Amino acid sequence: MPNPRELPIYEIEAALLNGARSTGRVVVQAPTGSGKSTQVPQMLLRAGMLERGQCVVLQPRRIAARMLAKRVAQEQGVRLGDEVGYQVRLDSRVSNKTRIRFVTEGILLRQMTFDSHLRGVSALVFDEFHERHLDGDIGLARALQIQGTTRPDLIIIVMSATLDAGLLKNYLAPCSVVASEGRMFPVTTEYEKHPIDPDREDVWDAAARACARVVARQPSGDVLVFMPGAYEISRTVSAIQFQRELRDCLVFALHGEMGPDEQDRAVDRYEQRKIIVATNVAETSLTIDGVTAVVDCGLARQARFDPHRGINTLLVEKISAASADQRAGRAGRTAPGVCLRLWTEREHIQRALQELPEVKRLDLAEVVLTLKAAGIDDVAGFPWIEPPDPKALARAEELLADLGAVAAGAVSPRPSAVATKAVRAAAIDETGRRPVLPDAGAPRCTSITDIGRRMLKFPVHPRYARMFLAAEEHGCVRSIALMAALTQGRTFWLRNVGRDVDTAREELLGAEHESDFFLLMRAYRYAERANFSMDACRRLGIHAQSARQVGPLFAQFLEIAQDEGLDVAERRVDGALVRKCVLLGFIDHLARRLDAATLRCELVHKRRGMLARESAMHEARLMVTAEISEIGGRAGEVNTVLGLATAVEEAWLKELFPADFAETVVTGLDPNTKRVTARRERRFRDLVLDSKDGAEPPATEAAEILSREVLAGALKIEAWDDVVEQWIVRVARFAEWFPEMEAHPIREEDRATLVEQMCYGCHGVKDVRNLDPWPILKDWLTPKQLAAMDTLLPERIDMANGRRSKITYPKEGAPVISARIQELFGVDKLSLARGRVPLKIEVLAPNQRPLQVTDDLARFWRETYPEIKPALSRRYPRHEWR
């Protein structure tokens, strides 16, 4: 093992320790391979800064936490778990002796929840902070709160190779910023000359070709290949093994779902040249010695959450430029290296500079519950580094309220459709204006309940935590514990299995009509009885290693449940009671089959999806699904798939959520008959359970529907012509010029109200087309106002020859009349309302063509008329010319 003291990070040791002593807050910028992850905690230990407590080092990934702890323990010459240890979700190697503890970010957040003083902790080191994981963001914000109140002695260090130092410097102020230049060897970056066409060549084949080029050019050094997931890794390993030029290389996979022994074998040193195909677990923190070449596909699987639809997504996306630089840096640790990027330089310029922080793209339910437990009821006002979408916070609180984890909010929920229409109708009757309704997207200020606090004891998503508590009531804790264990990692079902596997599954596991969970549980028991034999598991399409990993999780969940006072005794359980527990945990994933011929489903919150083909719930009418995912396919296709379904009964909904049922009459315009129709619907929340056509459409709703068609221009009231529009302008000018009459103009929102009133009593398009708008329009003014307008602002004005000329009222400026010059002889001035409103006159020649527009006829007669009279009289000799 090389001397760690020779690592570049030791160039800034003095500055780092001085900053820790003076401000207690340090930002460390150090490139990949500088040794910051392993050496900074040891610097603090040797400097005597950990005499009163541990140094807790936060890592974004479990594999990095475990392997870094192993490396530091070796450097310290101690056994892993003694002075140096690690703690990740459901796996721990620590003791009373531990001074340096590597943890995943969620572990610290839970510790803060139950111990706001962080007793026994002297320093917090947030490593690889540029990845901006949600738990890391929250943990840093809480650490600053704790340091600023009860623990001013707490040391906070934030580290990364590519973090935004400016953002952190402002957020952590006052703080010290130290930077290490490092001693990286140069890495040559090469791009593809032309974009890879996925329809012609798979990315794993392109990666295998790139590996062959590297090995042919470089006489030594290992190769690290980045792929987005375990499936792509397995295909890449196969493609490499088929390359004749690579037959002398060892090939290893490396990803987070592998067991510790497999991971260790992938990073060990060998005499033979090796190629490691990894996910982004190898992008940061984790150092793999001997790598001098990187082949980067430029892709990663990114977890996202859509707060508008409540759907988790796991799509393959392009990595950012910062992530690409991190990956390239892995090739320059021990010697000059090369990075082959499987995209063009032009494509690289178009990539995002940084990854989007998780706070902007993940489900916030678990972290919101954690904050509530810490006494932070107003999560919107929490000091986020970057605030999340308010709708994401609102949906998280809505889910927690559904689970009973938080109390009712201070913001009133959106009124029901019936209540909304009643309010709207009343408001229209009185003022002609529509009401402003409360914003349902606003985050609520809620408080954690006793149920919520108990849920936090379980290191799982709040849904499963709620299921544990319900299981205690129904005596089925072991079943729920196994369900939770089965869903913590990747499913052990192998996909795309043959017909013989399907037949074997049905023979050995039996048919299933109640829950996909039950089939999964029987499959696990089968694998367990077979001692996870690969041959026995392969017969049923079970991934033996993944199934084996369920057992320790199951045991730990049972231990946690027992510690919380739950009865974990094994007993025969009624499946209906287990399904009720699932219903409580996934009530917002309630789905109804739309028809028996397809797998199409409709869910609460106005979502739709397809039941997974491998689901056994094809006969269920109502179900809850534990997985709703958008799965990316070829050519950008995205499919919403509902998996792990559990059949439920409507009677259970009435038992557990009686207030969420409603019967409503829904109206709409039939595109075929062109008439408003109605159907009576019975709903659970916004999910239609059943409906019946033939109900009488309420007159108010029919009027709303038809008026919307009119206002959108899809339907025309034949009698609503230019005369009507001119009358509306007259009303506006009357209100403007004669305020003492207390008339009001007809604004756009008033126009919508008037059209809706006209449509009242109509049930079809034909009825609307034949409407007479004048009774409703003229009712806008009182009889006194109407008479005054007709007098003061008439439609026509009497001319000298007895003809009545039409007056045009524009939206701005003076009214205008058009008159032939002979009709104006002897007239020096025209106005309305006894001179109060001047008129503009468009003087016309005998052929009706305009000669001049003027508001000063006297000047026209005096100056203009003498000049044009001779020509006009010659052209039109039969007309009178004075």
Side-chain angles (χ1 to χ4, degrees):
M1 183 182 295
N3 184 3
R5 292 298 190 103
E6 297 178 357
L7 290 167
I9 194 67
Y10 279 96
E11 297 171 355
I12 62 170
E13 179 180 16
L16 188 153
L17 295 177
N18 288 337
R21 292 189 181 100
S22 60
T23 65
R25 302 176 185 178
V26 184
V27 176
V28 177
Q29 285 183 292
T32 299
S34 60
K36 59 185 179 299
S37 301
T38 57
Q39 302 308 307
V40 167
Q42 295 186 72
M43 291 177 185
L44 297 175
L45 180 65
R46 284 191 295 267
M49 294 185 176
L50 305 182
E51 292 181 357
R52 297 184 179 179
Q54 298 176 342
C55 173
V56 178
V57 187
L58 282 80
Q59 290 297 323
R61 296 178 180 85
R62 290 176 293 176
I63 183 174
R66 188 181 66 80
M67 290 191 167
L68 287 171
K70 181 180 178 181
R71 172 68 65 87
V72 173
Q74 290 173 346
E75 292 179 0
Q76 287 285 311
V78 298
R79 189 177 62 178
L80 182 62
D82 287 346
E83 285 80 1
V84 181
Y86 69 88
Q87 188 177 6
V88 300
R89 176 173 281 194
L90 304 176
D91 186 16
S92 177
R93 293 283 295 276
V94 294
S95 66
N96 293 333
K97 298 179 182 179
T98 303
R99 313 311 302 155
I100 298 174
R101 176 165 54 108
F102 288 85
V103 304
T104 45
E105 295 156 330
I107 296 295
L108 175 67
L109 202 53
R110 287 183 173 274
Q111 183 176 351
M112 289 174 166
T113 300
F114 298 107
D115 179 11
S116 60
H117 294 274
L118 282 182
R119 296 174 180 87
V121 176
S122 292
L124 297 175
V125 178
F126 293 82
D127 196 14
E128 306 299 351
F129 194 76
H130 72 278
E131 295 197 18
R132 296 296 308 281
H133 286 196
L134 181 57
D135 286 344
D137 275 15
I138 302 301
L140 179 57
R142 289 287 296 125
L144 291 177
Q145 288 181 327
I146 292 170
Q147 186 192 58
T149 53
T150 60
R151 288 291 310 280
D153 61 311
L154 184 66
I155 297 171
I156 300 173
I157 299 176
V158 184
M159 307 193 305
S160 176
T162 60
L163 56 75
D164 185 346
L167 173 67
L168 275 174
K169 184 177 180 180
N170 293 332
Y171 185 71
L172 294 174
C175 69
S176 302
V177 179
V178 296
S180 169
E181 296 297 328
R183 291 195 296 273
M184 290 288 296
F185 289 90
V187 176
T188 302
T189 302
E190 299 179 9
Y191 296 90
E192 293 287 315
K193 292 182 179 179
H194 304 286
I196 294 176
D197 185 352
D199 292 331
R200 295 188 176 185
E201 182 178 31
D202 290 313
V203 67
W204 41 83
D205 291 327
R209 283 194 299 101
C211 288
R213 293 204 306 270
V214 169
V215 169
R217 286 160 42 183
Q218 291 186 341
S220 62
D222 296 336
V223 183
L224 176 60
V225 182
F226 284 101
M227 282 287 152
Y231 173 74
E232 292 83 1
I233 287 175
S234 66
R235 297 299 300 266
T236 305
V237 168
S238 297
I240 290 172
Q241 290 170 338
F242 274 105
Q243 285 279 341
R244 180 178 301 176
E245 301 89 338
L246 304 176
R247 61 180 178 271
D248 294 330
C249 297
L250 298 174
V251 186
F252 295 96
L254 179 62
H255 55 81
E257 300 302 321
M258 295 168 54
D261 292 341
E262 293 176 295
Q263 294 171 351
D264 289 342
R265 282 196 294 272
V267 300
D268 281 345
R269 296 298 300 267
Y270 298 89
E271 293 296 329
Q272 195 173 347
R273 197 172 193 177
K274 69 177 178 180
I275 300 174
I276 306 119
V277 188
T279 61
N280 54 6
V281 299
E283 184 178 309
T284 58
S285 298
L286 185 63
T287 295
I288 305 175
D289 293 329
V291 170
T292 59
V294 164
V295 174
D296 187 2
C297 75
L299 303 171
R301 272 193 162 78
Q302 290 277 15
R304 294 184 185 272
F305 178 76
D306 184 343
H308 303 279
R309 292 178 291 165
I311 295 177
N312 289 311
T313 65
L314 188 62
L315 305 179
V316 174
E317 299 179 0
K318 295 177 181 178
I319 61 173
S320 68
S323 291
D325 289 343
Q326 286 273 7
R327 292 181 175 187
R330 295 286 140 183
R333 289 294 317 283
T334 57
V338 62
C339 174
L340 274 62
R341 290 175 172 167
L342 303 182
W343 64 94
T344 66
E345 193 166 7
R346 183 188 183 98
E347 289 175 310
H348 185 75
I349 296 172
Q350 299 171 346
R351 296 198 171 216
L353 296 178
Q354 299 279 348
E355 301 294 345
L356 190 67
E358 282 190 351
V359 72
K360 301 285 189 183
R361 58 181 170 88
L362 287 190
D363 178 14
L364 301 176
E366 191 168 0
V367 75
V368 166
L369 184 60
T370 302
L371 291 175
K372 300 282 184 183
I376 301 168
D377 293 338
D378 180 15
V379 292
F382 181 71
W384 307 88
I385 297 178
E386 293 182 64
D389 183 349
K391 288 186 177 180
L393 281 178
R395 186 169 289 280
E397 296 222 25
E398 181 180 56
L399 171 60
L400 294 174
D402 281 344
L403 299 175
V406 297
V411 176
S412 299
R414 181 183 293 276
S416 67
V418 175
T420 298
K421 294 182 186 303
V423 170
R424 182 185 288 118
I428 289 173
D429 287 343
E430 294 178 10
T431 67
R433 300 182 185 181
R434 297 183 183 276
V436 178
L437 300 176
D439 181 6
R444 301 176 179 179
C445 186
T446 57
S447 301
I448 192 169
T449 63
D450 290 339
I451 289 177
R453 291 191 184 280
R454 293 188 66 197
M455 286 166 56
L456 269 177
K457 299 289 186 180
F458 300 91
V460 290
H461 190 279
R463 297 182 186 278
Y464 286 98
R466 182 66 184 91
M467 289 164 59
F468 267 112
L469 298 183
E472 170 64 7
E473 299 177 20
H474 297 306
C476 54
V477 173
R478 294 186 71 88
S479 297
I480 297 303
L482 182 53
M483 285 181 175
L486 287 165
T487 55
Q488 293 306 295
R490 197 179 301 274
T491 179
F492 57 61
W493 285 130
L494 296 176
R495 299 189 182 278
N496 302 319
V497 296
R499 185 172 297 178
D500 56 333
V501 172
D502 285 332
T503 302
R505 283 181 182 176
E506 189 168 350
E507 289 178 355
L508 292 173
L509 302 181
E512 180 55 53
H513 303 291
E514 293 187 323
S515 176
D516 289 331
F517 274 115
F518 294 171
L519 194 61
L520 200 61
M521 293 161 75
R522 292 203 295 275
Y524 170 72
R525 293 301 188 193
Y526 163 85
E528 184 182 42
R529 288 192 300 272
N531 199 27
F532 304 103
S533 161
M534 292 187 65
D535 290 337
C537 288
R538 192 181 295 114
R539 183 184 178 192
L540 295 193
I542 295 172
H543 189 279
Q545 182 61 32
S546 297
R548 186 189 300 274
Q549 294 172 7
V550 172
L553 296 178
F554 179 38
Q556 290 191 37
F557 281 136
L558 288 176
E559 183 179 349
I560 292 169
Q562 191 168 26
D563 289 344
E564 290 304 309
L566 275 59
D567 182 2
V568 298
E570 190 160 3
R571 57 171 60 88
R572 188 173 184 82
V573 176
D574 182 353
L577 297 178
V578 179
R579 288 189 285 150
K580 281 187 180 182
C581 296
V582 178
L583 173 61
L584 281 167
F586 290 92
I587 184 58
D588 63 321
H589 284 186
L590 181 68
R592 178 181 68 87
R593 287 282 297 280
L594 289 174
D595 52 70
T598 71
L599 299 178
R600 297 182 307 134
C601 297
E602 187 173 41
L603 297 91
V604 292
H605 301 314
K606 298 297 182 183
R607 296 166 293 169
R608 287 199 173 189
M610 296 285 289
L611 182 63
R613 293 193 177 277
E614 60 267 23
S615 172
M617 298 299 104
H618 289 187
E619 302 300 320
R621 175 179 172 270
L622 278 177
M623 68 193 83
V624 289
T625 65
E627 295 177 352
I628 303 183
S629 303
E630 281 187 346
I631 306 298
R634 288 186 177 272
E637 179 186 1
V638 176
N639 302 308
T640 301
V641 180
L642 315 180
L644 266 185
T646 297
V648 298
E649 303 293 335
E650 187 176 321
W652 301 349
L653 297 174
K654 293 179 179 178
E655 173 191 343
L656 299 171
F657 307 97
D660 290 338
F661 279 84
E663 288 197 7
T664 59
V665 174
V666 178
T667 54
L669 185 64
D670 189 313
N672 297 317
T673 65
K674 303 296 183 182
R675 294 189 63 80
V676 176
T677 59
R679 65 181 183 275
R680 190 172 298 278
E681 291 184 347
R682 193 165 54 83
R683 300 184 175 206
F684 176 81
R685 298 181 182 172
D686 61 357
L687 178 64
V688 178
L689 298 178
D690 55 56
S691 63
K692 185 178 297 184
D693 293 329
E696 181 67 21
T700 302
E701 294 189 18
E704 273 192 19
I705 292 169
L706 293 169
S707 66
R708 282 198 299 269
E709 294 291 307
V710 173
L711 295 169
L715 175 59
K716 181 175 175 56
I717 301 173
E718 297 296 344
W720 191 300
D721 52 16
D722 291 340
V723 176
V724 171
E725 293 294 341
Q726 180 64 187
W727 188 86
I728 291 174
V729 175
R730 279 176 66 206
V731 171
R733 306 313 300 270
F734 179 63
E736 175 187 350
W737 289 327
F738 303 98
E740 68 275 11
M741 297 304 299
E742 298 182 347
H744 296 284
I746 299 176
R747 295 161 298 193
E748 285 303 313
E749 58 266 33
D750 300 321
R751 182 187 293 249
T753 301
L754 291 171
V755 172
E756 191 171 321
Q757 290 176 354
M758 292 175 200
C759 294
Y760 191 86
C762 297
H763 287 86
V765 169
K766 186 177 180 181
D767 301 335
V768 175
R769 284 177 178 160
N770 297 329
L771 282 172
D772 179 5
W774 286 110
I776 296 294
L777 286 174
K778 291 191 173 181
D779 196 44
W780 182 262
L781 301 176
T782 65
K784 180 180 178 181
Q785 292 169 337
L786 194 59
M789 186 176 75
D790 287 340
T791 300
L792 298 172
L793 301 180
E795 291 184 57
R796 295 181 178 271
I797 188 171
D798 294 328
M799 305 303 293
N801 63 354
R803 180 176 173 271
R804 303 191 74 226
S805 291
K806 179 183 177 183
I807 304 172
T808 300
Y809 293 89
K811 293 181 179 180
E812 295 180 356
V816 180
I817 66 165
S818 299
R820 285 181 299 147
I821 198 167
Q822 284 76 16
E823 295 173 316
L824 298 171
F825 286 153
V827 179
D828 289 332
K829 186 177 183 180
L830 283 175
S831 64
L832 301 175
R834 294 183 287 278
R836 189 167 172 178
V837 178
L839 271 173
K840 280 189 176 181
I841 299 94
E842 184 182 45
V843 182
L844 305 177
N847 65 351
Q848 301 294 326
R849 290 185 177 180
L851 297 171
Q852 185 175 358
V853 177
T854 180
D855 55 5
D856 189 348
L857 273 177
R859 184 176 179 181
F860 170 79
W861 296 124
R862 186 174 62 250
E863 299 178 2
T864 306
Y865 183 64
E867 296 179 359
I868 62 176
K869 177 182 176 182
L872 290 172
S873 61
R874 287 194 300 271
R875 186 177 301 172
Y876 305 105
R878 295 183 181 182
H879 291 269
E880 177 186 7
W881 300 101
R882 296 181 185 177

